[in-house]
Short mmCIF file of all heavy atoms in Angstrom, two decimals:
data_model
loop_
_atom_site.label_atom_id
_atom_site.label_comp_id
_atom_site.label_asym_id
_atom_site.label_seq_id
_atom_site.Cartn_x
_atom_site.Cartn_y
_atom_site.Cartn_z
N ILE X 275 108.78 111.92 67.29
CA ILE X 275 108.53 112.68 68.52
C ILE X 275 108.19 114.13 68.21
O ILE X 275 107.27 114.71 68.80
CB ILE X 275 109.76 112.57 69.45
CG1 ILE X 275 109.77 111.19 70.11
CG2 ILE X 275 109.77 113.67 70.50
CD1 ILE X 275 110.94 110.96 71.04
N ALA X 276 108.91 114.72 67.29
CA ALA X 276 108.62 116.11 66.91
C ALA X 276 107.22 116.23 66.32
O ALA X 276 106.48 117.18 66.61
CB ALA X 276 109.67 116.61 65.91
N VAL X 277 106.83 115.26 65.49
CA VAL X 277 105.48 115.28 64.89
C VAL X 277 104.41 115.12 65.96
O VAL X 277 103.42 115.87 66.00
CB VAL X 277 105.36 114.16 63.84
CG1 VAL X 277 103.91 114.00 63.38
CG2 VAL X 277 106.27 114.44 62.65
N SER X 278 104.58 114.16 66.86
CA SER X 278 103.58 113.90 67.89
C SER X 278 103.41 115.10 68.82
O SER X 278 102.30 115.47 69.18
CB SER X 278 103.97 112.66 68.70
OG SER X 278 102.99 112.35 69.65
N ALA X 279 104.52 115.72 69.20
CA ALA X 279 104.45 116.84 70.13
C ALA X 279 103.80 118.07 69.51
O ALA X 279 103.27 118.92 70.23
CB ALA X 279 105.85 117.20 70.61
N SER X 280 103.80 118.18 68.20
CA SER X 280 103.20 119.34 67.54
C SER X 280 101.77 119.07 67.08
O SER X 280 101.15 119.94 66.46
CB SER X 280 104.04 119.74 66.33
OG SER X 280 104.06 118.71 65.36
N ALA X 281 101.22 117.90 67.39
CA ALA X 281 99.90 117.50 66.88
C ALA X 281 98.79 118.39 67.44
O ALA X 281 98.75 118.67 68.64
CB ALA X 281 99.63 116.05 67.23
N ARG X 282 97.89 118.78 66.55
CA ARG X 282 96.71 119.55 66.95
C ARG X 282 95.42 118.92 66.44
O ARG X 282 94.35 119.53 66.52
CB ARG X 282 96.83 121.00 66.46
CG ARG X 282 98.01 121.73 67.08
CD ARG X 282 98.06 123.20 66.72
NE ARG X 282 99.22 123.86 67.33
CZ ARG X 282 99.26 124.33 68.57
NH1 ARG X 282 98.18 124.22 69.33
NH2 ARG X 282 100.34 124.89 69.04
N ASP X 283 95.53 117.72 65.90
CA ASP X 283 94.34 117.00 65.45
C ASP X 283 94.60 115.51 65.57
O ASP X 283 95.72 115.07 65.82
CB ASP X 283 93.97 117.37 64.01
CG ASP X 283 95.14 117.18 63.03
OD1 ASP X 283 95.70 116.06 62.99
OD2 ASP X 283 95.48 118.15 62.33
N LEU X 284 93.54 114.73 65.37
CA LEU X 284 93.64 113.29 65.54
C LEU X 284 94.63 112.66 64.57
O LEU X 284 95.42 111.79 64.95
CB LEU X 284 92.25 112.65 65.37
CG LEU X 284 92.19 111.12 65.38
CD1 LEU X 284 92.75 110.56 66.67
CD2 LEU X 284 90.76 110.65 65.13
N THR X 285 94.61 113.09 63.32
CA THR X 285 95.45 112.48 62.30
C THR X 285 96.93 112.60 62.63
O THR X 285 97.68 111.62 62.60
CB THR X 285 95.17 113.11 60.92
OG1 THR X 285 93.79 112.92 60.59
CG2 THR X 285 96.03 112.45 59.86
N THR X 286 97.36 113.83 62.95
CA THR X 286 98.77 114.06 63.25
C THR X 286 99.17 113.35 64.53
O THR X 286 100.24 112.72 64.62
CB THR X 286 99.06 115.56 63.37
OG1 THR X 286 98.58 116.23 62.20
CG2 THR X 286 100.55 115.82 63.53
N PHE X 287 98.31 113.45 65.55
CA PHE X 287 98.61 112.81 66.83
C PHE X 287 98.75 111.29 66.66
O PHE X 287 99.71 110.68 67.14
CB PHE X 287 97.51 113.13 67.85
CG PHE X 287 97.72 112.51 69.21
CD1 PHE X 287 98.70 112.98 70.06
CD2 PHE X 287 96.90 111.47 69.62
CE1 PHE X 287 98.88 112.42 71.31
CE2 PHE X 287 97.08 110.90 70.88
CZ PHE X 287 98.07 111.37 71.73
N ALA X 288 97.79 110.68 65.96
CA ALA X 288 97.82 109.24 65.77
C ALA X 288 99.03 108.83 64.92
O ALA X 288 99.69 107.82 65.23
CB ALA X 288 96.53 108.77 65.12
N ALA X 289 99.32 109.59 63.87
CA ALA X 289 100.46 109.23 63.01
C ALA X 289 101.76 109.25 63.79
O ALA X 289 102.58 108.32 63.69
CB ALA X 289 100.53 110.20 61.82
#
Side-chain angles (χ1 to χ4, degrees):
I275 284 180
V277 170
S278 183
S280 64
R282 297 186 180 277
D283 55 54
L284 174 59
T285 301
T286 307
F287 180 72

